[in-house]
């Protein structure tokens, strides 16, 4: 069975809403990977047996690398026809 998984490879791939949801869940060392895979990739813990272990570890590594990327701009979220950019706590909206 094929399962399409979108893995964020840069911070711009992560919406502000998802990042806030992730941080609001207070990830610990034990729950970090589970939360990251669930929120950013849509892989729930019940689905882990469907994936080869090496593949899950590779996805976890990519997400960790992405989250450790230095924040240069911030997060961009496209919603309908508006693009909201968050930069230094200032909200800029462009149509």
């Amino acid at each position: 069975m094929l399962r399409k998984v979108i893995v964020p490879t840069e911070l711009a791939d992560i919406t502000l809403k998802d990042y806030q949801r992730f941080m609001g869940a207070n990830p610990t060392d034990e729950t970090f990977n589970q939360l990251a895979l669930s929120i950013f990739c849509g892989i729930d813990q019940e689905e882990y047996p469907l994936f080869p272990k090496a593949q899950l570890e590779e996805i976890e590594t990519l997400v960790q690398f992405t989250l450790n990327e230095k924040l240069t701009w911030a997060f961009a979220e496209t919603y309908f026809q508006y693009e909201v950019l968050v930069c230094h706590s200032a909200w800029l909206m462009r149509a």
Side-chain angles (χ1 to χ4, degrees), residues 25-79:
N26 288 328
T28 63
D29 289 343
E30 294 82 31
T31 63
F32 184 89
N33 287 331
Q34 293 170 351
L35 282 170
L37 290 180
S38 174
I39 293 173
F40 303 130
C41 303
I43 303 173
D44 293 324
Q45 193 171 7
E46 300 84 42
E47 296 179 284
Y48 286 8
L50 302 175
F51 291 88
K53 186 176 179 179
Q55 194 174 39
L56 273 178
E57 289 173 353
E58 183 179 349
I59 294 170
E60 289 172 351
T61 301
L62 286 170
V63 172
Q64 287 173 1
F65 180 78
T66 300
L67 291 173
N68 287 332
E69 189 179 305
K70 288 190 178 181
L71 207 63
T72 54
W73 254 100
F75 300 91
E77 180 175 351
T78 305
Y79 183 73

Side-chain angles (χ1 to χ4, degrees), residues 13-34:
D13 296 336
I14 297 174
T15 65
L16 178 60
K17 180 180 176 182
D18 285 344
Y19 184 77
Q20 288 175 329
R21 198 171 96 194
F22 177 73
M23 294 309 292
N26 288 328
T28 63
D29 289 343
E30 294 82 31
T31 63
F32 184 89
N33 287 331
Q34 293 170 351

